[in-house]
Each structure stands twice: as structure tokens, then as C-alpha cells.
Amino acid sequence: MILIDGKKEAASLRLKLKDEVIELKKKFNNVPGLTVILIGELAPSQIYVRNKEKSANEVGLNSHVIRYPNDVDEKTILKKINDLNKDNSVSGILVQLPLPKHINKKKVIEAIIPSKDVDGFHPINVGNLSSGYESSIPCTPLGCYFLLKKIEPNLSGKKAVIIGRSNLNGKPMAQLLLKENCTVTITHSKTKNLKSECLMADIIIAAVGIPKLVKGDWVKKDAIIIDVGINKTDEGIVGDVDFEQVSKKVKALTPVPGGVGPMTIACLIKNTIDCFKRTQTN
Ligand code: NAD
């Protein structure tokens, strides 16, 4: 079984991106800038933002984190996003989710100008992705896509089963795999007989949030399994796939942690650089 090493792949992507930033600096006398807005004190969000900032600095981006207390009002956030939209030193804007309940997520996502939407959540980017046009692509599915391509460069005709239909993971993942000519099935909480769907899959992307949902007898022998899940349990962080059982059967599998997670952050850096490049004229 191939253990898909997301840490290694992410490190190698960051190195490539670092070289690219050096070249961009030579060419444009400027580097891409990433601004992250963090509201409140949620521990996981603090960790994610710290890791994003660390990676952005490592690659040579001009990165900033703007922090607000949990009770900041929506107007202040929308005004800040509007200012950042107009700021030429900012190539990418990310508002860390989840937001406090009194702030409307849809309004915040739609306030970010699509050309700086490094998360790829703006409806314009979602539409462009599903139409097959150039767009920012949500970082986690993009990371899954790179890991998959590493194992199987030609995905054409493969049957892919995606577990989970969120805007963050399942839906954009489906678009990426369709573009690669996979036959895609999106499953969700109302799907009947998930096991039999999975048993037909050459590729499974599990993005559910249920610890060890995918069992050893749910998978084909030569399947490639990408485990997006991050679940806190008594035995530590585990994925949506029963690693012990599934790793004995399949061709390739991502571990949790150390699989999709590191790629997500590297893809955020890539998206920021791509946003910067799209705004340069020469
Ligand atoms: P979500 O809660 O928005 O969506 C979960 C999806 O799973 C829903 O579409 C739901 O219909 C489906 N689902 C629920 N129960 C099901 C069942 N029994 N069978 C089939 N489908 C079922 O979650 P999300 O934001 O997409 O995140 C999913 C998981 O991925 C979580 O564990 C989250 O922590 C993790 N995650 C990881 C990364 C990363 O970088 N590795 C990034 C984002 C999310």
C-alpha cells in the first residue's frame, strides 16, 4: 500500500512556490500579499491561522493577520474587507471560518472581490469552477486533487465516490474530478447504502466528519482513498476512514494527520500567488 505523504508533498509544493515568488519579485519588484482576518478566540482557528501565516512567511509572501474580538460588529468586518479589496498590496483575502453567529457568512464571502478570494468560496468563483473556467479553487479539494494526481496521473474514466456534499469540500471536489473525466458520484447523509456505492469506487474522497466511517469491507482492492476528515476522539485525531482496516486492502491512502491537512495550507499559498499573477499586466 502506498501511504500518500501529504507533509512531503506540501513541503515540495512550498519549495516550488518559494522559487516562484523569487522570480515574481525579480519580474514585478513586488511579492504576493495575503491578509487573513481572524475573529474571536476559537482554538482551532487560532492554530490554522498561525500555520497559514507561518507557511506564507516561509514562502516569502507579504502576509498579515488582522485580529478582531468575538463581539466585533459585521459592519466593521465588511468595511475592512472593502478596504482590502482596494489595497494593491493585498493579492488574497481570507476570513477564517467559522464566524461568530451574529456575522452573516454569506455577506462576508460575497464582500471579498472574486479576484482576491483565495478560498474560492465566492459564488463567481464557484460558478467559474463549475463552468470549467479559470477560478480560485477551494484549498482542501485542490490539495486532494494534487495528491490524487501524484498517485494516478490519468484519472480519465475512473469511478470516484465523494462522501459529503459541502461547499467547502464535496461539491468543488466533484467539479475537479469531472474536469479530469472521472465518473463522479456525490454521496451524503441521505444516501442509501453508502457501502455499496463505495465498493464500486476506484477513488474515494471521504469528507464527512464521522470518525472511521469507511471500513475495510467498503473498499475495492485497488482503490485510492483520500481522507479529508479531521475528528477529535479519545484516541486522538482520526480521519473519516478506518485507517487500520482500509490500509490493508487498498492501493493508496492518505493518513490523518499528515495527509490532506498540510496540502490545504500549501494550496492557500498557491492560490494567493495565482491571484497575484492574474492581476499583473506584463
Ligand atoms: P460538513 O459538516 O459541512 O459536511 C459534511 C457532509 O457529510 C455533509 O454534506 C453531509 O451530508 C455528509 N454526511 C453526514 N453524515 C453522513 C453519512 N452518514 N454518510 C454520508 N454522508 C454524510 O463538513 P466539511 O466542512 O465538509 O468537513 C468534513 C470533514 O473534513 C470534517 O471532519 C472536517 O474537520 C474535515 N476538514 C478537513 C480539512 C483539511 O484540511 N484536512 C479541511 C476542511 C474540513
Side-chain angles (χ1 to χ4, degrees):
M1 203 256 333
I2 304 167
L3 187 67
I4 308 172
D5 189 342
K7 259 191 184 165
K8 193 175 126 205
E9 291 306 322
S12 123
L13 177 56
R14 282 199 305 273
L15 267 183
K16 266 195 235 152
L17 296 173
K18 194 173 176 179
D19 287 344
E20 197 175 354
V21 171
I22 292 169
E23 290 306 312
L24 289 171
K25 190 169 182 185
K26 276 190 211 155
K27 192 166 173 193
F28 299 110
N29 197 26
N30 199 0
V31 295
L34 172 66
T35 297
V36 176
I37 296 179
L38 173 61
I39 306 168
E41 305 286 327
L42 272 182
S45 295
Q46 302 272 350
I47 296 169
Y48 290 141
V49 168
R50 209 178 310 134
N51 289 339
K52 287 169 183 173
E53 195 180 16
K54 190 170 157 251
S55 290
N57 288 332
E58 191 188 310
V59 169
L61 302 192
N62 179 12
S63 98
H64 297 279
V65 179
I66 304 176
R67 293 184 163 77
Y68 290 99
N70 200 57
D71 60 358
V72 65
D73 62 7
E74 188 180 278
K75 227 168 112 187
T76 305
I77 299 300
L78 296 177
K79 160 90 175 58
K80 176 51 77 181
I81 293 172
N82 193 33
D83 292 346
L84 295 170
N85 283 341
K86 293 183 203 144
D87 183 339
N88 287 337
S89 70
V90 177
S91 326
I93 305 166
L94 181 152
V95 181
Q96 182 64 44
L97 302 177
L99 298 172
K101 284 204 173 68
H102 65 280
I103 297 181
N104 183 316
K105 184 169 97 176
K106 183 169 181 285
K107 270 194 199 168
V108 166
I109 287 174
E110 291 180 3
I112 300 172
I113 188 171
S115 58
K116 296 190 181 189
D117 167 35
V118 280
D119 258 336
F121 295 160
H122 192 289
I124 295 273
N125 280 319
V126 175
N128 278 337
L129 176 63
S130 68
S131 302
Y133 303 142
E134 188 173 57
S135 67
S136 279
I137 297 167
C139 306
T140 302
L142 185 59
C144 295
Y145 168 79
F146 286 138
L147 292 177
L148 257 181
K149 288 285 279 185
K150 184 87 195 169
I151 299 296
E152 183 59 71
N154 181 9
L155 297 171
S156 183
K158 302 279 181 203
K159 178 162 174 62
V161 169
I162 299 170
I163 316 179
R165 58 176 160 186
S166 69
N167 290 339
L168 182 72
N169 289 311
K171 287 182 198 161
M173 191 72 233
Q175 297 300 344
L176 286 170
L177 293 175
L178 273 176
K179 243 178 156 175
E180 289 290 316
N181 300 316
C182 288
T183 303
V184 181
T185 301
I186 307 181
T187 66
H188 47 78
S189 56
K190 302 287 185 285
T191 296
K192 288 181 181 146
N193 210 346
L194 183 58
K195 176 179 170 181
S196 65
E197 293 291 342
C198 288
L199 270 170
M200 287 188 282
D202 302 310
I203 295 162
I204 296 176
I205 312 282
V208 196
I210 301 179
K212 301 187 182 183
L213 175 73
V214 179
K215 303 292 179 203
D217 61 353
W218 287 31
V219 294
K220 277 204 309 196
K221 189 164 71 55
D222 284 326
I224 303 172
I225 318 286
I226 306 288
D227 189 352
V228 180
I230 300 178
N231 307 295
K232 226 173 161 183
T233 68
D234 293 344
E235 50 179 289
I237 302 285
V238 302
D240 293 339
V241 174
D242 189 321
F243 185 89
E244 211 176 300
Q245 292 184 13
V246 171
S247 60
K248 288 187 185 125
K249 278 196 69 180
V250 295
K251 176 176 166 188
L253 169 64
T254 57
V256 176
V260 174
M263 282 303 283
T264 295
I265 297 185
C267 287
L268 168 66
I269 309 300
K270 182 184 178 340
N271 280 353
T272 308
I273 294 172
D274 289 345
C275 284
F276 173 85
K277 288 196 300 197
R278 287 198 281 264
T279 59
Q280 304 303 308
T281 46
N282 58 334

